[in-house]
Amino acid sequence: MAVLSATGRLGRDAEIRTVGQNKVASFSIAVDQGWGDKKTTIWIDCAFWGQRGEKIAPYLTKGAVVEVYGEPSIRTYESKGATKAVMQVRVDGLKLHGGGKRDEPVADNARSTSRGDVDEDQIPF
């Protein structure tokens, strides 16, 4: 399994959906690459499944900078006669780097929700 690590800014607030019996926090991040007139932005759709995603979703607000870790995939589709591609990540963990609409401080031990870093029972939100 390949693992992707990407840091970007949230384009919108995270949304919680119910899929079957499971909850998933869905959000997208903008990852800039290059500089000057050669700068481009890649959008990555993210899905953070389970209770950890549900608990951290209120902190995933538009403009917040996050680093996501997880399994990447590419979904292709047809639109107006052209083949388009969307990069997706099934998030295994993330780190909050600040920004966004909320100015609420987050305890240092809650900033990382990567597997192995913090036990689910230790997350204060």
Side-chain angles (χ1 to χ4, degrees):
M1 166 179 70
V3 175
L4 173 82
S5 173
T7 302
R9 195 168 292 279
L10 271 79
R12 58 181 163 75
D13 293 355
E15 298 174 0
I16 298 292
R17 296 180 292 128
T18 302
V19 179
Q21 298 292 325
N22 300 307
K23 300 279 186 177
V24 60
S26 299
F27 55 96
S28 58
I29 62 171
V31 179
D32 293 330
Q33 55 185 16
W35 57 89
D37 60 348
K38 297 190 187 281
K39 182 177 172 181
T40 60
T41 301
I42 296 172
W43 285 92
I44 302 173
D45 290 340
C46 301
F48 199 171
W49 290 83
Q51 189 176 22
R52 294 182 313 139
E54 185 177 11
K55 287 182 178 181
I56 201 162
Y59 296 91
L60 300 176
T61 59
K62 182 178 180 175
V65 177
V66 297
E67 184 175 356
V68 296
Y69 307 93
E71 185 176 348
S73 63
I74 303 288
R75 177 177 55 89
T76 59
Y77 63 96
E78 294 290 324
S79 176
K80 299 179 183 176
T83 301
K84 308 263 182 162
V86 176
M87 177 175 265
Q88 299 174 309
V89 174
R90 182 181 177 113
V91 178
D92 288 325
L94 66 81
K95 290 184 181 178
L96 297 170
H97 291 284
K101 293 187 275 189
R102 296 183 188 244
D103 292 328
E104 301 166 4
V106 178
D108 285 340
N109 65 345
R111 289 193 182 275
S112 176
T113 61
S114 299
R115 289 187 188 192
D117 287 350
V118 177
D119 183 49
E120 257 182 49
D121 295 334
Q122 293 175 324
I123 300 173
F125 47 85

